[in-house]
């Protein structure tokens, strides 16, 4: 982990091509299995595989888990509320992308 220019912000760079097992994702996100399972049941995460013993997650799942858990705790939204906020954030980004491609924004 790197301290970003003395700002006290700790960040981890995760390559898009990396994959995590269920256990690795829980460890990397500093989350317990129950929270990650709740994110899966809410549709926030979409693992590949038939069950926790062979699930794999792409690199961006780490950022998603951390963001969802931060929303759930900091804003007292719970997992379901965080899932809704993440969905709305994705929709806003998709709309912004469409506007940029259309030369409107």
């Amino acid at each position: 982990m790197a301290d970003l220019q003395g700002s006290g912000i700790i960040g981890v760079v995760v390559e898009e091509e990396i994959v995590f097992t269920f256990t690795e994702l829980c460890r990397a996100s500093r989350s317990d299995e129950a929270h990650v399972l709740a994110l899966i049941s809410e549709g926030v995460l979409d693992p590949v595989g038939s069950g926790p013993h062979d699930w794999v997650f792409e690199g961006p799942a780490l950022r998603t888990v951390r963001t969802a858990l931060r929303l759930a705790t900091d804003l007292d939204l719970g997992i379901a509320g965080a899932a809704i906020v993440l969905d709305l954030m994705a929709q806003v980004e998709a709309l912004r992308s469409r506007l940029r491609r259309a030369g409107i924004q």
Side-chain angles (χ1 to χ4, degrees):
M1 289 196 265
D3 184 351
L4 303 177
Q5 300 176 357
S7 67
I9 298 172
I10 303 296
V12 176
V13 176
V14 176
E15 304 219 7
E16 298 287 322
E17 297 82 27
I18 196 168
V19 294
F20 295 99
T21 65
F22 179 66
T23 302
E24 290 168 340
L25 183 61
C26 291
R27 280 191 199 131
S29 65
R30 296 186 180 127
S31 178
D32 60 41
E33 291 181 0
H35 284 119
V36 176
L37 287 170
L39 291 171
I40 293 166
S41 70
E42 288 293 334
V44 173
L45 297 173
D46 189 24
V48 175
S50 60
H53 62 282
D54 69 341
W55 276 340
V56 291
F57 302 83
E58 294 180 356
L62 177 58
R63 180 180 58 243
T64 301
V65 171
R66 287 183 172 174
T67 302
L69 295 178
R70 195 170 52 247
L71 287 167
T73 57
D74 292 356
L75 300 178
D76 199 27
L77 296 175
I79 297 295
I84 292 169
V85 170
L86 287 172
D87 183 53
L88 291 172
M89 290 170 59
Q91 289 180 38
V92 167
E93 184 53 40
L95 290 170
R96 285 183 177 153
S97 179
R98 287 178 63 191
L99 289 171
R100 279 192 298 274
R101 284 194 307 271
I104 299 171
Q105 186 178 12

